[in-house]
Every structure is written in structure tokens, then in C-alpha cells.
């Protein structure tokens, strides 16, 4: 019986399999077919990379005093930011029991100041859809990266059967790689365990704050973007992106993804959401769950 279920799981060819199983009869008109990997790229990988680096650099600089303390054991990395540290304003702000000589902004405010827009989670405009993602402020131009899909990254041969039970947050990439974006239960426990395994001294190699209500990377809300409908057309789409080897180690703490296996010798897979059109303030984001991939 278990062997038969595993074979059936391996044959799935949709983006969100558990969701499709429950909604296939009701969402046929939202079909989007992706015949080749190259045709699923709305923007270039270099554009994705530059947006992530720009955002993470701003988040890093926003919390520079704490970051410099974390980098004490990586002097070659710390040296890159000494000039930036001396340029910080000497405005004191109490954080916990400590005084910091730095103005610290909310991550969403950093996102707005850096990208020209911010997004937030709140009750969806769709009936019975639960949480959704909205543009809270600013303007999102077509072709802009505006969110990331967080979660544990599984190769297609790795065990995910028990995590998938009752889990509508499993995203399937074109090559069969799976990303479990559930922030509860066994999925949450596995992600936290993997994050501690890969931690480099005090410096984290991934973002764990997306599992909580406190956001560190404001982009890491892509799992809450709801499916489009006949009344609400998709205004964002998913695009796969592999983190290059040259990615700065100090920015990895903002990546909301981690590999399930420590032995994997490939680049970390991430998925970003890209705007299909201009999106204004107050608009909810809608993607297309029912995407057939070859």
C-alpha cells in the first residue's frame, strides 16, 4: 500500500498537488501550462539576484550594529562594512536592555524604502480563503520580484510523504524538487532542525522568522498568496531561482529556504513571485496554483 502511494506521489505533475486534489473540479479555468523550463522565466536570473541582494543589503544595514557583532568571527566579511558602520547616524534607540547607536526601521518600511512598495499579510478578499497577501503601500511595476516562497527544499527522491498529509503548501518545481512552505506541525519542526544543523557559529544560514509572526525578511510570505479565480485573475507568477555560489554568506540569514539534506551538492533552490502586471496599493496578490509542468 505504501509503495503504491509513493508511486502515485512521484507521478504528480502540478504545482500544488494537495490543493489540486481537493479543487480540481472547481478550478479548471485557471489552468496554465508550462511546457519548458525556459518559458517559465518572466525575468532573468540576474534581475532576481540583484533584487534579492538589494533588499538583503538594506535589511543588513538596517540592523548593522547587531550584524557586526555576529561577524566578529568572520573578520574578512566584517571588514567590508567598517566604512558603513562609521557612517551610521549616532541616534540612540533602546532595544531590550541594550542601547544601540542606530535608527532601526521595521522590515516592511525597509522594503518600501528600498523597492518602492511593501506587502503584508491579512484576511483575504476571497470568501473562506483565509490569509492573503496585499500590497500595503507603494507601487509594484510589472516584472518586479515582490515575494519569496519559503520552506524546506526536498529533492524528488527524499521523504516527504508524511509531511504532505493534509498539507496544502507543497510547491513542486519543474524538475520535481519540492518546497514545503507549511509553518506548522512536522514541517515547522523539520525546518527548524535543518536551520540549526547548518548554522555557522552565531550566524544563521537561513531565515527562521517566517515561521513566526515576527518578520525578518518581508518578502517571505509567498506561501500565503491565494489562487486566482474567474473573478480574480492572477497578477503574479512563480519563478524558480538557484542561489549562486557567489551569494554573500552574511545575506544567507534572509533566505527563507533550506535543503532537507546536508549532503546535497547543488545550489539552494528558491522560488520567487514576479508581478505579471503593474500592481497598486491595496491590491491582493493572486497566483495560479493549477499550473501543469512537464
Amino acid at each position: 500500500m505504501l509503495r503504491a502511494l509513493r508511486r502515485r506521489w512521484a507521478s504528480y505533475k502540478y504545482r500544488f498537488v494537495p490543493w489540486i486534489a481537493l479543487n480540481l473540479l472547481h478550478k479548471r479555468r485557471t489552468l496554465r501550462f508550462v511546457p519548458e523550463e525556459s518559458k517559465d522565466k518572466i525575468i532573468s536570473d540576474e534581475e532576481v539576484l540583484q533584487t534579492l541582494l538589494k533588499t538583503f543589503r538594506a535589511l543588513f544595514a538596517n540592523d548593522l550594529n547587531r550584524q557586526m557583532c555576529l561577524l566578529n568571527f568572520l573578520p574578512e566579511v566584517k571588514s567590508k562594512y567598517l566604512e558603513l558602520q562609521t557612517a551610521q547616524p549616532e541616534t540612540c534607540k533602546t532595544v531590550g536592555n541594550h542601547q544601540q547607536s542606530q535608527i532601526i526601521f521595521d522590515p516592511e518600511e525597509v522594503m518600501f524604502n528600498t523597492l518602492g512598495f511593501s506587502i503584508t499579510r491579512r484576511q483575504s478578499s476571497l470568501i473562506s480563503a483565509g490569509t492573503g497577501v496585499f500590497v500595503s503601500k507603494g507601487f509594484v511595476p510589472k516584472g518586479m520580484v515582490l515575494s519569496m516562497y519559503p520552506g524546506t527544499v526536498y529533492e524528488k527522491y527524499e521523504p516527504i510523504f508524511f509531511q504532505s498529509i493534509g498539507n496544502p503548501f507543497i510547491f513542486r518545481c519543474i524538475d520535481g524538487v519540492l518546497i514545503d512552505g507549511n509553518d506548522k506541525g512536522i514541517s515547522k519542526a523539520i525546518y527548524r532542525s535543518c536551520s540549526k544543523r547548518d548554522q555557522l557559529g552565531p550566524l544563521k544560514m537561513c531565515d527562521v522568522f517566517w515561521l513566526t509572526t515576527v518578520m525578518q525578511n518581508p518578502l517571505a510570505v509567498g506561501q500565503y498568496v491565494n489562487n486566482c479565480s474567474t473573478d480574480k485573475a492572477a497578477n503574479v507568477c512563480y519563478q524558480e531561482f538557484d542561489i549562486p555560489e557567489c551569494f554573500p554568506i552574511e545575506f544567507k540569514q534572509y533566505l527563507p529556504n533550506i535543503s532537507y539534506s546536508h549532503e546535497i551538492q547543488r545550489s539552494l533552490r528558491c522560488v520567487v513571485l514576479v508581478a505579471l502586471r503593474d500592481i497598486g496599493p491595496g491590491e491582493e496578490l493572486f497566483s495560479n496554483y493549477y499550473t501543469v509542468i512537464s
Side-chain angles (χ1 to χ4, degrees):
M1 176 66 176
L2 184 58
R3 187 175 300 174
L5 288 172
R6 283 176 174 170
R7 283 200 303 269
R8 179 170 294 183
W9 175 257
S11 69
Y12 285 145
K13 60 180 182 179
Y14 301 103
R15 286 297 198 198
F16 290 89
V17 178
W19 182 92
I20 290 295
L22 296 174
N23 295 273
L24 183 62
L25 295 179
H26 304 288
K27 301 290 181 180
R28 287 178 178 170
R29 281 179 281 185
T30 68
L31 174 65
R32 184 169 72 92
F33 182 69
V34 178
E36 299 174 11
E37 182 175 2
S38 61
K39 294 185 180 179
D40 207 27
K41 300 280 188 180
I42 303 300
I43 59 176
S44 69
D45 285 348
E46 181 61 24
E47 290 177 275
V48 175
L49 176 61
Q50 291 307 315
T51 299
L52 296 185
L53 289 177
K54 182 179 180 181
T55 304
F56 296 167
R57 189 177 293 110
L59 291 169
F60 185 90
N62 183 60
D63 192 21
L64 189 61
N65 286 341
R66 186 178 68 87
Q67 297 296 338
M68 295 297 276
C69 293
L70 294 177
L71 293 179
N72 281 333
F73 71 106
L74 292 173
E76 69 282 2
V77 177
K78 185 176 182 179
S79 63
K80 298 191 304 183
Y81 300 100
L82 293 178
E83 183 177 345
L84 182 60
Q85 187 180 37
T86 59
Q88 288 291 326
E90 293 297 322
T91 302
C92 291
K93 175 177 180 177
T94 302
V95 180
N97 296 322
H98 305 282
Q99 285 252 330
Q100 293 189 343
S101 299
Q102 182 186 358
I103 300 174
I104 299 179
F105 295 98
D106 181 271
E108 285 189 17
E109 193 68 24
V110 174
M111 183 181 186
F112 175 75
N113 293 336
T114 305
L115 301 179
F117 64 89
S118 59
I119 57 175
T120 191
R121 293 174 292 181
R122 65 171 186 260
Q123 179 65 39
S124 174
S125 60
L126 298 177
I127 299 175
S128 303
T131 302
V133 180
F134 294 77
V135 176
S136 55
K137 187 164 58 170
F139 174 82
V140 184
K142 179 181 178 180
M144 171 63 74
V145 173
L146 73 169
S147 186
M148 300 182 73
Y149 196 93
T152 306
V153 181
Y154 293 84
E155 297 297 316
K156 52 188 174 184
Y157 52 81
E158 291 180 325
I160 195 173
F161 176 74
F162 291 105
Q163 298 94 302
S164 72
I165 297 175
N167 183 356
F169 293 104
I170 297 178
F171 181 95
R172 184 181 187 274
C173 297
I174 290 173
D175 58 1
V177 169
L178 302 170
I179 301 179
D180 182 4
N182 197 347
D183 58 6
K184 298 180 178 63
I186 186 173
S187 301
K188 179 179 181 179
I190 289 174
Y191 187 94
R192 282 195 177 279
S193 177
C194 292
S195 72
K196 293 176 181 177
R197 173 201 67 195
D198 290 357
Q199 189 168 327
L200 183 61
L203 192 62
K204 297 184 182 299
M205 293 293 100
C206 68
D207 176 30
V208 296
F209 289 91
W210 69 272
L211 297 170
T212 71
T213 57
V214 180
M215 298 300 295
Q216 175 180 253
N217 173 8
L219 295 172
V221 294
Q223 79 278 34
Y224 286 109
V225 173
N226 283 306
N227 184 54
C228 60
S229 65
T230 52
D231 298 323
K232 303 282 188 177
N235 52 18
V236 299
C237 71
Y238 304 101
Q239 180 167 319
E240 298 164 29
F241 174 72
D242 290 334
I243 300 298
E245 291 185 9
C246 63
F247 197 83
I249 191 171
E250 65 270 25
F251 293 164
K252 289 187 176 181
Q253 61 185 296
Y254 303 112
L255 293 173
N257 300 97
I258 195 166
S259 295
Y260 174 75
S261 175
H262 187 62
E263 289 76 30
I264 296 298
Q265 298 299 314
R266 60 174 289 167
S267 300
L268 177 67
R269 174 63 52 80
C270 291
V271 170
V272 298
L273 282 77
V274 181
L276 291 171
R277 61 169 176 81
D278 295 343
I279 307 173
E283 287 194 66
E284 182 172 1
L285 305 184
F286 293 102
S287 61
N288 198 321
Y289 289 5
Y290 191 13
T291 303
V292 182
I293 52 182
S294 57

